[in-house]
């Protein structure tokens, strides 16, 4: 927990963090998700495993409110996805424009927009939260560096700092370990573990079933529909 940060909102413990009921998504005539039903509790840590095209990114987009399903219902702590600012979403690195001229501090401050409101200047408290988040992930020394100048592991640490600054209750990371060397992977997994211990629900997409079974207490096997869900 960051200095000056409030604990995540204490929802009714019987209320699921994520609840999907028969969610289906189609892009033109292509089925991306087919009748997906899923329930996660607060503080669950889940690896979402499946091949390319299995719908992992689409599932995250649905939970984050980026994509609206054609069928089914999505509830995040009892609200629709658009009704929450608690979702911290880290997309695949390949879809991010690393040439965009923003600094590390700018990226982390984006996590405060939901608290500040659009078109408002950051307060002293916002700046303190951002500095504390960067310190938490060991990236304070890079605060003024352009985000594209960092290594892949450093970039993922910055995005985790953004999630901390956002005070997110739900973390979605789409293949965050792809392309990282083993020491960088271990750092990211350690930070995810620390975030989850604060009661944050964590979902991480992966291709690596062996690593997922070693690092996560719950695995969701997805191939457009739910193949299996439970302990490894």
């Amino acid at each position: 927990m960051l200095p000056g940060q409030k604990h995540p909102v204490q929802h009714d413990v019987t209320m699921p963090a994520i609840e999907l009921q028969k969610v289906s998504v189609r892009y033109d005539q292509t089925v991306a998700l087919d009748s997906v039903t899923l329930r996660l509790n607060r503080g669950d840590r889940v690896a979402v495993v499946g091949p390319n095209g299995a719908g992992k990114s689409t599932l995250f987009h649905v939970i984050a409110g980026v994509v609206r399903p054609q069928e089914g219902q999505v509830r995040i702590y009892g609200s629709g996805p658009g009704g929450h600012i608690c979702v911290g979403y880290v997309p695949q690195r390949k879809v991010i424009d690393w040439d965009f001229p923003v600094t590390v501090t700018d990226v982390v401050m984006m996590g405060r927009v939901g608290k500040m409101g659009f078109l408002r200047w950051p307060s002293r408290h916002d700046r303190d939260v951002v500095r504390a988040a960067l310190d938490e992930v060991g990236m304070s020394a890079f605060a003024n560096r352009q985000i594209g100048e960092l290594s892949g592991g450093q970039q993922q640490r910055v995005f985790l700092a953004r999630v901390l600054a956002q005070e997110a209750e739900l973390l979605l990371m789409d293949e965050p370990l792809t392309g990282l060397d083993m020491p960088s992977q271990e750092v990211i997994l350690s930070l995810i573990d620390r975030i989850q211990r604060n009661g944050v629900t964590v979902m991480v997409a992966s291709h690596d079933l062996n690593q997922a079974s070693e690092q996560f207490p719950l695995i969701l096997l997805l191939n457009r529909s739910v193949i299996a869900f439970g302990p490894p």
Side-chain angles (χ1 to χ4, degrees):
M1 188 63 57
L2 299 178
Q5 215 179 13
K6 297 179 180 178
H7 285 271
V9 176
Q10 296 299 309
H11 298 282
D12 182 347
V13 294
T14 64
M15 181 184 295
I18 299 173
E19 189 168 25
L20 277 63
Q21 291 286 344
K22 297 184 177 179
V23 169
S24 295
V25 176
R26 293 180 296 275
Y27 300 119
D28 296 324
Q29 300 303 312
T30 302
V31 176
L33 294 176
D34 183 16
S35 195
V36 170
T37 294
L38 176 68
R39 177 187 172 117
L40 299 183
N41 297 316
R42 182 176 184 267
D44 279 348
R45 174 171 164 165
V46 182
V48 182
V49 182
N52 285 330
K56 300 187 297 295
S57 296
T58 299
L59 176 65
F60 284 5
H61 289 163
V62 166
I63 294 171
V66 177
V67 168
R68 182 176 299 224
Q70 281 83 20
E71 299 170 11
Q73 186 180 62
V74 183
R75 310 297 287 177
I76 309 299
Y77 287 108
S79 301
H84 257 277
I85 61 170
C86 71
V87 182
Y89 173 53
V90 181
Q92 294 183 28
R93 293 183 63 250
K94 66 183 181 182
V95 304
I96 298 171
D97 180 6
W98 297 111
D99 295 324
F100 195 75
V102 290
T103 67
V104 165
T105 296
D106 294 333
V107 171
V108 180
M109 187 62 75
M110 291 174 189
R112 298 297 298 168
V113 170
K115 304 287 185 181
M116 298 186 303
F118 288 103
L119 304 179
R120 291 184 58 186
W121 291 103
S123 66
R124 179 176 178 178
H125 173 67
D126 293 318
R127 291 190 291 271
D128 287 344
V129 169
V130 167
R131 280 193 292 267
L134 285 170
D135 187 58
E136 179 78 8
V137 302
M139 291 298 292
S140 295
F142 298 86
N144 296 318
R145 193 79 63 87
Q146 200 270 336
I147 186 70
E149 297 175 358
L150 305 182
S151 69
Q154 290 170 333
Q155 289 165 346
Q156 294 291 19
R157 285 156 65 185
V158 171
F159 279 106
L160 284 172
R162 186 182 68 177
V163 170
L164 287 169
Q166 182 183 349
E167 302 176 42
E169 298 173 73
L170 171 60
L171 169 59
L172 309 173
M173 299 192 78
D174 197 347
E175 300 187 17
L177 306 180
T178 299
L180 303 188
D181 58 26
M182 191 56 65
S184 296
Q185 291 187 27
E186 290 173 353
V187 169
I188 299 304
L189 288 168
S190 176
L191 288 171
I192 290 172
D193 185 54
R194 285 156 61 183
I195 289 171
Q196 184 249 340
R197 286 202 302 266
N198 282 330
V200 177
T201 305
V202 175
M203 298 184 73
V204 174
S206 174
H207 288 295
D208 191 334
L209 184 56
N210 289 329
Q211 184 181 61
S213 64
E214 292 171 0
Q215 298 291 339
F216 290 82
L218 292 170
I219 292 182
L220 171 66
L221 297 181
L222 185 72
N223 196 359
R224 297 186 176 87
S225 60
V226 174
I227 307 302
F229 175 60

